[in-house]
Amino acid sequence: MTPETFLRALFARAVEVADPMQSLAAALPPKPAGRVLVIGAGKASARMAEAVEAEWGPCEGLVITRYGYARPCQGIEIVEAAHPVPDAAGEVATKRLLARLESVGEGDFVLALISGGGSALLIAPAGDITLEEKQSLTQALLASGAPIGEINGIRKELSAVKGGRLAAAAYPARMLALMISDVPGDHPGDIASGPTVGNTGSAKRALKALDHWGVVPPASIKAYLEKGGDPVLPDDPRLSRVENVIYAAPSQSLAAAADMARAQGYDAQILGDAVEGEARDIAAGHADLARSAAPGTLILSGGELTVTRRGDGIGGPNAEYALALAIALDGAPGIHALACDTDGVDGAAEVAGAVIGPDTLAKARAAGIDPQSALDRNDAHSFFAAINDQVVPGPTLTNVNDFRAIFVGPETPRD
């Protein structure tokens, strides 16, 4: 197989390991007696609901997922909404979900299915904040280069459902929250902005973060934060009947890809599953590692990179990383790489990421495209579309964050 085929196979394996239909059953207890309500939000939540019903049979419930990510369920209602910027469909669905929780009592059981993407899909602005104001703030934060932990910390303070509020709404019912982690560090409170986990942040910290990243909030948001918000703290009695379980995480997908490479005799090195930073800066450092690596080495990493928007192009963190890596390697022989988001969506585009090789820059110039200019405009998706090196798997139905693999040849991967 070619190096590109090998890298694409590694990515497919990483996604397969995190597929809820392959992984959720082991974390699911026997179906409790009495009333069971299944709720959830995230890019993987519909697939998680499908996996639950494969074990438990038809269930009552409502789950919110991204457009195009719905799955056929027997009893659980699946609603699609927008990501990464929330929309009215998400707001209406969230209100309906909260209304369902009003009917549960002490003897009932709530199963919450939480995955990355839930921050945008589970949308209920706090106080007098409007959806339009939340949309505007989200767009500004995504363009600021702020890491996802900072963004989610701000989102918690401005929500009537995040930061433990979803779990509080289910009290006194017993709740089990099953989570797929897409965040560096695998902290439950950061996944989908922690709707079932008490808030350890503060409105004051959110204001400082907005100022640090140069984001000017609408007047209503600033006023709400200045008043201190309305946090659900970790010791809130309404969280006493909640159990939070992460059953799938980026480390498992990276390990599976490494095992696949080692089975073929390669030296697989994992740099970590929580790499953060500006995509182009991380790419420059990884280029240096690749140049110094011995032939037959596979360098793997996960985490969540960011892009500070400087131009008007179409891009995402993974494609920008791949483009910056290609520029930094400058056609270095024998080095191929792939950078993709395991949810199948890099930024807001329906593209997971891209592959590069020693001929990437030459192919671009032959097509009349200047690589550095494309990087300067944050136009990585257009760049890779023009040379037919995008990775477009469609909805993967899971989300364990970024997957990056650099293969150092010159050996041709074995079939």
Side-chain angles (χ1 to χ4, degrees), residues 200-409:
T200 58
S202 69
K204 183 177 181 181
R205 186 183 303 175
L207 281 168
K208 287 184 177 180
L210 288 168
D211 181 65
H212 176 79
W213 294 104
V215 175
V216 179
S220 65
I221 289 179
K222 183 178 181 182
Y224 181 82
L225 291 175
E226 286 176 341
K227 291 179 181 178
D230 183 27
V232 172
L233 302 178
D235 61 355
D236 191 300
R238 292 172 295 175
L239 303 182
S240 62
R241 305 202 72 198
V242 180
E243 180 184 6
N244 293 296
V245 177
I246 296 176
Y247 78 88
S251 59
Q252 296 163 345
S253 289
L254 290 172
D259 288 344
M260 182 176 172
R262 289 169 184 146
Q264 296 193 27
Y266 299 115
D267 176 21
Q269 302 176 6
I270 300 177
L271 301 180
D273 63 352
V275 177
E276 294 184 274
E278 191 75 20
R280 61 184 67 186
D281 296 337
I282 299 299
H286 287 185
D288 291 339
L289 289 175
R291 286 179 182 276
S292 62
T297 298
L298 179 71
I299 302 171
L300 296 166
S301 64
E304 185 152 10
L305 304 184
T306 53
V307 171
T308 301
R309 192 166 181 80
R310 301 171 175 88
D312 58 357
I314 302 171
N318 288 284
E320 180 142 325
Y321 167 92
L323 176 53
L325 183 65
I327 292 172
L329 289 171
D330 195 24
I335 301 178
H336 300 256
L338 173 146
C340 290
D341 197 316
T342 55
D343 63 12
V345 180
D346 186 34
E350 305 301 312
V351 179
V355 290
I356 68 164
D359 61 345
T360 295
L361 301 187
K363 287 164 64 176
R365 290 171 181 137
I369 304 167
D370 178 58
Q372 187 60 53
S373 176
L375 183 63
D376 292 342
R377 298 193 316 275
N378 302 119
D379 202 24
H381 282 319
S382 300
F383 175 89
F384 286 110
I387 62 173
N388 199 32
D389 278 339
Q390 290 182 311
V391 179
V392 188
T396 63
L397 309 176
T398 191
N399 185 10
V400 286
N401 224 320
D402 297 344
F403 176 86
R404 294 177 294 274
I406 303 174
F407 179 70
V408 181

Side-chain angles (χ1 to χ4, degrees), residues 16 32 36 59 76 84 93-94 116 163 175-176 180 188 219 231 242 249 286 315 322 348 356-357 374 382 398:
E16 178 186 36
V36 174
C59 296
I76 301 168
T94 301
M175 173 182 279
L176 169 64
I180 297 179
V242 180
H286 287 185
I356 68 164
S382 300
T398 191

Side-chain angles (χ1 to χ4, degrees), residues 23-254:
S23 56
L24 185 141
L28 192 66
K31 189 175 183 179
R35 186 187 178 195
V36 174
L37 179 66
V38 180
I39 61 172
K43 296 175 191 173
S45 61
R47 183 68 157 180
M48 295 167 80
E50 184 182 17
V52 168
E53 290 194 329
E55 297 294 320
W56 282 0
C59 296
E60 172 192 358
L62 189 154
V63 161
I64 310 168
T65 194
R66 189 180 190 270
Y67 289 121
Y69 281 58
R71 294 298 297 166
C73 286
Q74 303 169 63
I76 301 168
E77 180 184 359
I78 306 299
V79 179
E80 294 179 309
H83 177 279
V85 179
D87 68 356
E91 185 176 35
V92 170
T94 301
K95 289 179 180 177
R96 291 182 56 213
L97 190 154
L98 290 171
R100 290 206 178 197
L101 289 177
E102 291 176 359
S103 66
V104 299
E106 186 172 359
D108 299 328
F109 181 86
V110 179
L111 178 65
L113 307 174
I114 307 297
S115 70
S119 292
L121 297 164
L122 205 57
I123 177 71
D128 296 326
I129 300 168
T130 67
L131 172 63
E132 292 73 22
E133 289 169 331
K134 287 290 291 287
Q135 290 172 324
S136 174
L137 185 72
T138 299
Q139 290 170 329
L141 285 168
L142 292 173
S144 72
I148 192 62
E150 289 271 63
I151 294 174
N152 285 352
I154 295 166
R155 283 167 155 166
K156 289 181 191 180
E157 303 300 331
L158 303 172
S159 175
V161 69
K162 301 180 180 71
R165 293 178 179 86
L166 182 69
Y171 183 81
R174 186 162 61 95
M175 173 182 279
L176 169 64
L178 295 182
M179 304 179 181
I180 297 179
S181 175
D182 71 324
V183 296
D186 299 332
H187 299 299
D190 291 337
I191 302 167
S193 299
T196 63
V197 182
N199 187 2
T200 58
S202 69
K204 183 177 181 181
R205 186 183 303 175
L207 281 168
K208 287 184 177 180
L210 288 168
D211 181 65
H212 176 79
W213 294 104
V215 175
V216 179
S220 65
I221 289 179
K222 183 178 181 182
Y224 181 82
L225 291 175
E226 286 176 341
K227 291 179 181 178
D230 183 27
V232 172
L233 302 178
D235 61 355
D236 191 300
R238 292 172 295 175
L239 303 182
S240 62
R241 305 202 72 198
V242 180
E243 180 184 6
N244 293 296
V245 177
I246 296 176
Y247 78 88
S251 59
Q252 296 163 345
S253 289
L254 290 172

